[in-house]
Amino acid sequence: MGAQKKRAAAAAAAARVSEDPDDLARQPLQAILLADSFTTKFRPITLERPKVLLPLVNVPMINYTLAWLEAAGVAEVFVFCCAHSKQVIDYLENSEWFSQPNFTVKTIESHNIISAGDALRLIYEQNVIHGDFVLISGDTVSNMSLTQALQEHKERKKKDNNAVMTMIIKKSKPSPITRQSRLGTDELFMAIDPNTKQLLYYEDKADHSKGTICLDKMLLAENPSISLHNDKQDCYIDICSPEVLSLFTDNFDYQHLRRHFVKGLLLDDIMGYKIFTHEIHSSYAARIDNYRSYDIVSKDIIQRWTYPYVPDVKFCGNRATKLERRGMYRALEIEQSRSAQVGSFTVIGYGTKIGSNSKISDSVIGEGCTIGSNVLIEGSYIWDNVIIEDGCELRHVIVCDGVIMKAGAVLKPGVVLSFKVVIGERFVVPAYSKVSLLQQPTVHDSDEELEYADNSSGTVEFSSIQGTADQSNGEMTSESSEAHKPKLGTGGVGYIWSICEGGQEEEWRHSVAPIPEDKLTELSEAMDDDQELVTQDRTALSTSGELISDSNASEGDDNEDSKDDSVYFEKEVEATFLRAVEENVKVDHVILEVNSLRLSYNMTSADCAGAVFYSMMKLAIKTPHSSASELQQNTANIITTWQKLLKSYLLEIDEEIEIILKFEEMCLESAKEFSPLFARILHILYDKDILQEDAILRWADEKEGADESDKVFVRQSEKFIQWLREASEEED
Amino acid sequence: MTQIEPQNQLTLDLSRKHKIEGSQATARQTAELLRSVISQQRVPYTNQAGALIDAVKAIGEQLIAANPVELAVGNIVRRVLHIIREEDLSLTTAAIGGLNLSAVSDDENDDDRDGDSTLSAAAVAAAARSTLRPPSLQTLLEDTPVSAAVPQTSSSGGDSEGKSKSADKSSRSRKLKHDVIEAVNELIQDIVTCHEQIAEQAVEHIHQNEVILTLGSSRTVLEFLFAAKEKKRSFRVFVAEGAPRYQGHLLAKELVARGLQTTLITDSAVFAMISRVNMVIVGAHAVMANGGVIAPVGMNLVALAAQKHAVPFVVLAGSHKLCPLYPHNPEVLLNELRSPSELLDFGEFSDCMDFGSGSGSPLLHVVNPAFDYVPPKLVSLFITDAGGHNPSYMYRLIADYYSADDLVVQRRATAGN
């Protein structure tokens, strides 16, 4: 059904494409901008303001994305708003974006969407996308030119209708120590066909501890050459064909663009959809995914990699800012004390006042801030209208709008102060803590896998919190300041969010603060260990770990297969046997049939013996009986009738042992009724010359060293074994 | 409202650098925009010039702020303001010369905002002052009557018309607007043809078997060299590639396409080659009032090399590049720092910019300025569409093109909106 629909949709899309390719080429380029990241990484800030409106070097992030789309020649943008949609829409309506002559911005609003997949499904339903479109999230900064990538995409599409997506990638070396990219995301592995640029493999959650990744060996078989990269950065800019939307609709479980959609397409070879990559070299593109990338992208902007989207160029109605020597950007109307030292790579917003002897470096200060004297600000992001009183120290922190820091307060690295928080006098906020006026939601996630589920509950929670916050806003300031006096110092307002378990690990990875020295040494030591491990167990090719793991994986597969096979084999044998019993087939014929099964399943004679014996016992237990002795009688009868069949497989002592083991297994699991009769049936088998005394003794010996629980049957048949031993001795 | 649309568009285009490339295109578009602004501006009965000036200033301010580095925008705005003043003055003098009712009606202009057209108190004095304006060298040399020399338009015809119709207020206002638009048209024409105007002088400067050195690529230089080539001059050109944008490569290609003997060198080889060069001819981004030049980066190096070997350093610049401002701190304020990606590949150096480890502050800083400032003492000659000039003569040229009141384009506080 699903596949049918898929095909139909694809066919329809294909028809649309083939109808008039020229028309398609002329079609104005559209874009879908997701104004919601569907993650919770920017909490607690994002509880109050959507991520796309957070200022990035004093300009809301979405403006970078829109400015780029406009410059790249996109004619129509659909901004998909979900969380805080009202704020986003209000902002856009008041901005210049709605009044552009050749650039239309339309908003699509929905509240019950919890993932990018849902958003795209909704857009598909609205039927507004008519041709190739750019899929981008509202937190992406880029200055690349789309022309070439678009051209490539269209040409590929003409040749191969299955080339549905072109993914923009960029070279960026991951840190050798932390194994994370510059942007704080996990190391990304991609396998790309160097000739066609087709993406063959995409893995962003590789197991760092082992240093190995798993590749399907078919990849190696099907492609003459593969280049495997870990120095590529996914820019999260995709050029998609309209089929992408229908694919999302058909596969309703696709949520995440990369984790589900891209990986899904790569794994699913039924439809044969292909994803290609386009690497950009000189231009810039990066997505802000976490606090670390917020920090890095801000610094890239200040260093002008994103030119012309830099503070001193007015690209979206930002305030006039002048660039001075050593990367200092200053807006107008700044009051700066003569003794204040403003260092390099610093942006100071309009109307900010800086007191005497304050030192500021590598920081971004927003508009209308008041900074007292003797304040130290280093590597921090201070948004608008923040008041920092005398003697405060801020190192590598984010401070949102309207925060008040009383005199002498200290923020340790990695702190995030959400909107309007007040930090009390001389209070020291511990490293990596997040402070907000809103209380931490009770359901907290650190696990990304839970993100979706969590996000949905998060939004619900948020609204309830918001409600209470709104209601009690008045008293809250007074109340909470009372209640939390010890938490944020005298006069402090806000809640320190507790860092969840396991989150500690993530905190330093994703915070704005640089990774502390001790973590770095720890990591580098760990890496040395890793390398030792690798050198120790280096097999054929130590560095190309994927080859080793690949072979391992395939072995594992084989084991799986053989297990399955033996189960099927057993069932087949049982069916054959039962039919033989019912239809009185001659023993010889049964042997023939079982032999053919054995050949087709590639089994040993021991397997056959086990299977035949299993079927016989099954038959015995199925035969109606009222007591244990009756069951014993039945079993004896069956064994007598079919002993020839069984014997034909008992060529060696090993097979006999196999039978005993099988019987033991049955007694323990499938046919517990036999368990009291174990010794007796063993005796019957011995009597009928099916089992030789050697086999039984060997079995007993083997079991000698086993666990107590395993020895139940050995003990039960102890007498018999004893007797056998004596008999053999006598013979000697 | 209607005038806001195109104005906003140009402001945006100016600020988003990808839309308009080059001073000439920027200048032309600015002039065209201002022309449409003037034609759409409703002129009051009194003080038409003031109204026009305010309108142009209002928009000019925004345009200049949109891209302060592109000085051509400001130049054109000031030129247009100057044109308005000149036209107004010529009409006024004509009116006074006619001794008509206009003086009486001009008395209504008590709140006259414009210095030049202050006529209420003593119209005659104003007329007298107009003759006391600093005369341009051209007028002195040509010894033509002031009234005719002031506007380069059909001012003599305007005079007679003005005399005949001076009683009619509305016709006079229409006349002013009409004249201004005419003059702006002429300005646009000048901008469009500036390359040819400059190129015409090529044969006077390039001689047989000379070796010319240039840096980077400039439309003006290209046309200049072609013009000399067309006049059957045979000469050789050394092209310094102009890192990091390497536009010299493009120039070399075009020169070769036109059959010029071309040698491409690196910027760092300029000093080694300069002794073989007879003349350096380069383009400019802007020419400042003191004769200093804002030019593509690397130009100062070439100029210094040329001075060391006493090679003439000739700068070609259309008159729209003539800026009435003096450069203060030109390396920073009049410069544009471009993306470091023109110098380095981001991917290769991404590990140097990993702020996640270490102190968090960037250790690698890439500076990529677009322009150099060449001080006037290094320039031997300017060739503009009005002829060749010495750097020390620039201020005179600027006095011809601009009026001192417009140097700071900012609406006065009295202008309410």
Side-chain angles (χ1 to χ4, degrees):
Chain A
M1 165 79 190
Q4 250 177 8
K5 223 174 122 189
K6 241 192 251 181
R7 227 159 280 155
R16 229 186 299 155
V17 170
S18 56
E19 258 173 31
D20 196 355
D22 296 82
D23 188 45
L24 198 78
R26 263 188 274 114
Q27 214 151 35
L29 185 61
Q30 293 177 308
I32 296 176
L33 188 151
L34 300 174
D36 193 332
S37 58
F38 304 107
T39 58
T40 56
K41 290 196 180 139
F42 272 84
R43 284 192 178 185
I45 301 173
T46 47
L47 285 183
E48 288 165 75
R49 191 186 282 187
K51 183 175 160 194
V52 292
L53 294 188
L54 304 185
L56 182 70
V57 196
N58 295 340
V59 176
M61 285 183 201
I62 195 168
N63 282 347
Y64 289 93
T65 319
L66 285 173
W68 172 70
L69 286 173
E70 200 263 347
V74 173
E76 193 174 21
V77 177
F78 294 94
V79 178
F80 188 89
C81 316
C82 178
H84 306 286
S85 54
K86 198 161 177 334
Q87 280 188 50
V88 179
I89 291 170
D90 282 352
Y91 177 80
L92 287 175
E93 275 172 358
N94 293 323
S95 74
E96 60 188 59
W97 295 115
F98 273 14
S99 57
Q100 300 275 333
N102 301 318
F103 184 65
T104 337
V105 177
K106 289 182 183 152
T107 52
I108 298 176
E109 190 181 1
S110 177
H111 294 286
N112 45 10
I113 296 293
I114 54 159
S115 73
D118 289 343
L120 292 180
R121 281 184 275 277
L122 189 86
I123 290 169
Y124 180 72
E125 281 166 24
Q126 299 211 345
N127 199 19
V128 286
I129 298 291
H130 308 298
D132 289 341
F133 63 96
V134 180
L135 180 59
I136 189 171
S137 113
D139 44 12
T140 311
V141 178
S142 176
N143 62 358
M144 69 173 283
S145 152
L146 268 183
T147 341
Q148 205 198 339
L150 204 63
Q151 186 80 21
E152 278 176 20
H153 179 79
K154 288 205 164 129
E155 264 163 31
R156 265 199 295 267
K157 183 78 199 199
K158 237 176 249 170
K159 274 185 230 146
D160 183 355
N161 222 0
N162 281 337
V164 290
M165 187 163 127
T166 302
M167 192 192 266
I168 309 294
I169 55 169
K170 178 165 181 54
K171 188 174 177 189
S172 171
K173 295 176 187 169
S175 157
I177 302 170
T178 52
R179 291 249 175 78
Q180 66 176 16
S181 71
R182 291 174 74 238
L183 299 176
T185 48
D186 289 312
E187 199 173 5
L188 175 68
F189 288 96
M190 281 191 200
I192 295 168
D193 186 318
N195 300 318
T196 63
K197 303 286 175 219
Q198 187 186 346
L199 180 72
L200 302 168
Y201 177 81
Y202 183 98
E203 181 60 69
D204 54 353
K205 290 219 165 293
D207 192 350
H208 299 306
S209 53
K210 274 190 286 178
T212 59
I213 59 166
C214 299
L215 282 183
D216 189 351
K217 64 179 169 188
M218 289 309 285
L219 273 186
L220 299 169
E222 283 168 4
N223 299 284
S225 57
I226 287 183
S227 50
L228 191 65
H229 300 276
N230 76 339
D231 60 349
K232 299 284 184 249
Q233 172 193 320
D234 187 349
C235 302
Y236 295 93
I237 297 171
D238 303 320
I239 301 167
C240 305
S241 302
E243 285 92 330
V244 168
L245 290 180
S246 57
L247 274 174
F248 265 99
T249 315
D250 296 336
N251 299 285
F252 50 84
D253 53 335
Y254 283 174
Q255 303 288 351
H256 193 274
L257 286 181
R258 292 287 181 265
R259 214 171 301 143
H260 300 125
F261 177 69
V262 169
K263 286 187 186 168
L265 281 199
L266 290 176
L267 288 178
D268 172 29
D269 37 301
I270 300 165
M271 299 303 295
Y273 285 120
K274 290 173 192 157
I275 298 173
F276 289 85
T277 57
H278 174 80
E279 191 176 350
I280 50 174
H281 293 282
S282 60
S283 38
Y284 184 88
R287 179 174 170 221
I288 296 160
D289 181 58
N290 47 43
Y291 287 122
R292 161 92 54 226
S293 39
Y294 179 84
D295 172 51
I296 302 255
V297 173
S298 297
K299 280 175 179 156
D300 287 342
I301 292 172
I302 293 171
Q303 296 230 30
R304 307 181 77 77
W305 286 99
T306 59
Y307 182 92
Y309 308 114
V310 287
D312 60 323
V313 175
K314 282 192 175 179
F315 57 90
C316 59
N318 44 338
R319 296 260 193 187
T321 306
K322 277 193 173 150
L323 173 62
E324 294 172 16
R325 279 178 214 273
R326 300 205 302 144
M328 241 170 68
Y329 298 84
R330 291 156 63 90
L332 305 172
E333 318 255 327
I334 294 172
E335 279 178 40
Q336 184 186 341
S337 156
R338 204 173 279 272
S339 56
Q341 296 174 27
V342 178
S344 54
F345 302 113
T346 301
V347 179
I348 298 185
Y350 178 86
T352 287
K353 299 186 185 77
I354 302 169
S356 52
N357 290 319
S358 289
K359 287 182 190 170
I360 301 175
S361 62
D362 298 319
S363 299
V364 177
I365 316 272
E367 292 176 10
C369 293
T370 309
I371 295 166
S373 45
N374 298 313
V375 175
L376 182 84
I377 300 175
E378 217 179 89
S380 299
Y381 299 90
I382 292 164
W383 298 358
D384 300 345
N385 303 316
V386 173
I387 297 170
I388 298 173
E389 293 181 2
D390 299 354
C392 289
E393 279 183 33
L394 298 89
R395 285 193 179 85
H396 306 290
V397 298
I398 293 179
V399 177
C400 298
D401 290 2
V403 167
I404 299 171
M405 287 182 66
K406 298 268 168 76
V410 176
L411 300 184
K412 293 280 184 193
V415 169
V416 175
L417 298 187
S418 190
F419 299 93
K420 294 187 177 135
V421 162
V422 180
I423 303 293
E425 229 168 87
R426 286 178 217 294
F427 185 77
V428 180
V429 183
Y432 304 119
S433 39
K434 298 186 168 67
V435 185
S436 170
L437 282 188
L438 303 176
Q439 253 167 335
Q440 189 166 18
T442 37
V443 187
H444 195 86
D445 64 307
S446 63
D447 195 349
E448 252 201 294
E449 299 307 323
L450 295 171
E451 221 161 68
Y452 314 115
D454 230 297
N455 203 37
S456 63
S457 62
T459 44
V460 175
E461 260 161 49
F462 164 70
S463 56
S464 64
I465 288 173
Q466 182 75 329
T468 52
D470 283 343
Q471 283 162 15
S472 58
N473 223 356
E475 69 251 47
M476 198 176 142
T477 34
S478 56
E479 214 174 83
S480 57
S481 64
E482 290 302 309
H484 293 271
K485 211 178 228 171
K487 275 197 142 178
L488 288 168
T490 16
V493 180
Y495 302 93
I496 296 185
W497 284 27
S498 60
I499 297 161
C500 50
E501 305 160 39
Q504 191 75 49
E505 168 78 7
E506 295 306 306
E507 288 303 329
W508 59 262
R509 268 183 192 281
H510 291 159
S511 85
V512 281
I515 297 164
E517 282 298 320
D518 52 326
K519 289 282 181 198
L520 279 180
T521 44
E522 211 173 277
L523 279 167
S524 55
E525 274 164 17
M527 193 177 60
D528 289 347
D529 290 351
D530 270 8
Q531 278 180 344
E532 269 163 39
L533 269 180
V534 170
T535 41
Q536 271 168 16
D537 63 16
R538 69 190 283 159
T539 42
L541 299 150
S542 69
T543 41
S544 52
E546 69 279 3
L547 287 182
I548 306 164
S549 61
D550 184 31
S551 58
N552 283 346
S554 58
E555 264 170 37
D557 278 359
D558 282 355
N559 290 338
E560 282 286 295
D561 287 354
S562 61
K563 205 171 183 184
D564 283 352
D565 275 1
S566 68
V567 170
Y568 286 128
F569 174 70
E570 232 158 59
K571 279 192 181 146
E572 289 277 334
V573 170
E574 194 185 335
T576 315
F577 180 73
L578 286 179
R579 193 163 42 80
V581 172
E582 273 166 28
E583 295 171 14
N584 277 325
V585 182
K586 275 188 184 169
V587 175
D588 290 342
H589 291 177
V590 180
I591 294 174
L592 265 179
E593 281 188 36
V594 173
N595 272 345
S596 69
L597 280 175
R598 173 191 151 184
L599 288 174
S600 68
Y601 280 94
N602 194 19
M603 291 294 166
T604 60
S605 55
D607 291 322
C608 295
V612 168
F613 180 73
Y614 177 78
S615 334
M616 285 162 72
M617 298 316 266
K618 261 287 183 58
L619 179 66
I621 213 163
K622 272 184 194 158
T623 324
H625 57 270
S626 53
S627 66
S629 57
E630 211 171 312
L631 176 65
Q632 187 192 343
Q633 192 54 50
N634 286 341
T635 317
N637 287 342
I638 290 165
I639 290 171
T640 331
T641 329
W642 296 100
Q643 56 177 309
K644 195 182 170 199
L645 171 68
L646 197 51
K647 271 182 190 167
S648 67
Y649 296 104
L650 300 177
L651 309 172
E652 280 181 59
I653 202 160
D654 285 345
E655 279 99 47
E656 291 171 26
I657 295 170
E658 171 76 26
I659 283 183
I660 301 171
L661 289 173
K662 192 92 201 173
F663 187 36
E664 206 181 4
E665 192 188 305
M666 282 179 78
C667 291
L668 277 172
E669 287 160 19
S670 51
K672 291 217 170 84
E673 275 178 84
F674 280 119
S675 48
L677 300 172
F678 183 85
R680 285 181 213 171
I681 290 173
L682 202 64
H683 197 198
I684 294 170
L685 289 170
Y686 175 73
D687 278 351
K688 300 285 176 197
D689 276 346
I690 293 168
L691 298 181
Q692 294 171 20
E693 57 180 55
D694 275 359
I696 298 171
L697 291 176
R698 278 262 289 274
W699 167 71
D701 289 345
E702 263 177 38
K703 283 284 167 178
E704 205 87 312
D707 285 347
E708 278 306 303
S709 57
D710 275 0
K711 280 189 182 171
V712 181
F713 297 109
V714 181
R715 208 157 299 138
Q716 199 187 30
S717 42
E718 208 164 357
K719 268 189 183 166
F720 176 59
I721 292 164
Q722 191 66 32
W723 179 79
L724 280 177
R725 284 220 170 101
E726 279 163 15
S728 61
E729 270 165 30
E730 265 169 35
E731 266 173 40
D732 289 343
Chain B
M1 198 59 209
T2 42
Q3 78 205 31
I4 283 164
E5 274 302 314
Q7 161 221 337
N8 269 355
Q9 186 49 43
L10 185 65
T11 318
L12 288 171
D13 288 354
L14 282 172
S15 53
R16 302 201 186 122
K17 316 241 160 174
H18 58 278
K19 285 285 169 66
I20 308 176
E21 272 282 333
S23 313
Q24 199 205 5
T26 321
R28 210 191 70 222
Q29 293 206 27
T30 312
E32 281 167 359
L33 172 75
L34 291 177
R35 184 180 59 186
S36 75
V37 167
I38 290 167
S39 68
Q40 280 167 12
Q41 179 71 28
R42 228 177 288 136
V43 188
Y45 280 123
T46 56
N47 191 20
Q48 304 96 347
L52 284 184
I53 284 169
D54 275 347
V56 170
K57 270 190 176 177
I59 284 148
E61 202 182 348
Q62 290 180 38
L63 290 177
I64 292 167
N67 187 357
V69 178
E70 187 52 271
L71 293 166
V73 178
N75 298 346
I76 295 302
V77 171
R78 293 183 183 102
R79 286 281 288 272
V80 170
L81 288 174
H82 182 66
I83 285 169
I84 299 171
R85 289 180 201 284
E86 292 279 286
E87 292 296 335
D88 184 44
L89 200 62
S90 75
L91 280 180
T92 316
T93 43
I96 288 161
L99 284 173
N100 267 327
L101 299 163
S102 63
V104 183
S105 55
D106 272 333
D107 276 340
E108 291 156 21
N109 301 356
D110 264 336
D111 59 336
D112 208 15
R113 296 169 192 175
D114 192 33
D116 275 8
S117 58
T118 306
L119 300 163
S120 56
V124 187
R129 185 146 56 91
S130 77
T131 56
L132 291 175
R133 266 180 325 113
S136 75
L137 196 65
Q138 202 181 1
T139 52
L140 287 178
L141 290 173
E142 289 172 7
D143 195 26
T144 41
V146 174
S147 56
V150 169
Q152 283 94 358
T153 50
S154 56
S155 53
S156 56
D159 273 359
S160 59
E161 267 180 299
K163 271 170 198 161
S164 58
K165 293 183 183 174
S166 55
D168 190 354
K169 261 282 173 191
S170 63
S171 82
R172 208 199 113 184
S173 79
R174 245 184 276 126
K175 175 86 182 67
L176 173 71
K177 223 160 113 172
H178 176 260
D179 282 357
V180 168
I181 288 169
E182 277 293 302
V184 173
N185 277 339
E186 222 163 278
L187 172 66
I188 292 169
Q189 199 54 39
D190 277 356
I191 295 167
V192 172
T193 58
C194 76
H195 292 323
E196 289 94 78
Q197 302 261 352
I198 295 170
E200 268 175 24
Q201 308 163 46
V203 252
E204 297 165 25
H205 297 280
I206 299 178
H207 305 120
Q208 195 70 13
N209 294 329
E210 272 192 341
V211 176
I212 310 291
L213 183 129
T214 184
L215 174 102
S217 177
S218 155
R219 188 90 235 145
T220 326
V221 172
L222 191 70
E223 300 282 343
F224 194 79
L225 295 175
F226 287 166
K229 170 78 184 166
E230 270 166 23
K231 298 269 166 62
K232 305 287 177 219
R233 285 282 144 82
S234 101
F235 55 95
R236 285 190 295 151
V237 184
F238 284 3
V239 180
E241 58 183 358
R245 295 182 81 187
Y246 301 111
Q247 288 188 319
H249 299 177
L250 300 175
L251 181 74
K253 229 183 210 172
E254 294 212 30
L255 290 176
V256 169
R258 301 274 186 109
L260 267 165
Q261 179 66 48
T262 308
T263 309
L264 188 70
I265 59 170
T266 59
D267 295 348
S268 37
V270 164
F271 204 90
M273 307 299 272
I274 200 84
S275 54
R276 293 162 55 186
V277 171
N278 298 99
M279 185 190 268
V280 178
I281 299 177
V282 294
H285 172 69
V287 179
M288 307 309 288
N290 65 344
V293 180
I294 309 282
V297 71
M299 205 61 93
N300 201 13
L301 172 118
V302 177
L304 285 166
Q307 191 201 33
K308 177 89 180 165
H309 287 264
V311 176
F313 186 83
V314 177
V315 176
L316 309 183
S319 59
H320 59 272
K321 288 184 176 175
L322 222 58
C323 180
L325 302 177
Y326 284 82
H328 305 287
N329 203 1
E331 286 90 348
V332 177
L333 290 181
L334 295 175
N335 217 333
E336 183 179 12
L337 291 178
R338 300 176 64 89
S339 168
S341 59
E342 288 176 354
L343 274 74
L344 321 163
D345 185 19
F346 182 86
E348 287 302 322
F349 284 81
S350 58
D351 43 350
C352 303
M353 289 172 289
D354 189 357
F355 311 118
S357 45
S359 69
S361 63
L363 294 174
L364 179 70
H365 184 196
V366 184
V367 183
N368 180 13
F371 304 118
D372 245 0
Y373 173 67
V374 182
K377 60 173 183 185
L378 297 181
V379 181
S380 321
L381 186 71
F382 283 104
I383 300 176
T384 71
D385 33 3
H389 305 286
N390 200 305
S392 58
Y393 178 73
M394 276 299 134
Y395 83 99
R396 295 294 314 200
L397 218 52
I398 279 157
D400 269 2
Y401 286 132
Y402 304 97
S403 66
D405 299 317
D406 299 326
L407 291 190
V408 179
V409 181
Q410 218 162 30
R411 276 182 298 168
R412 284 159 299 169
T414 49
N417 44 347

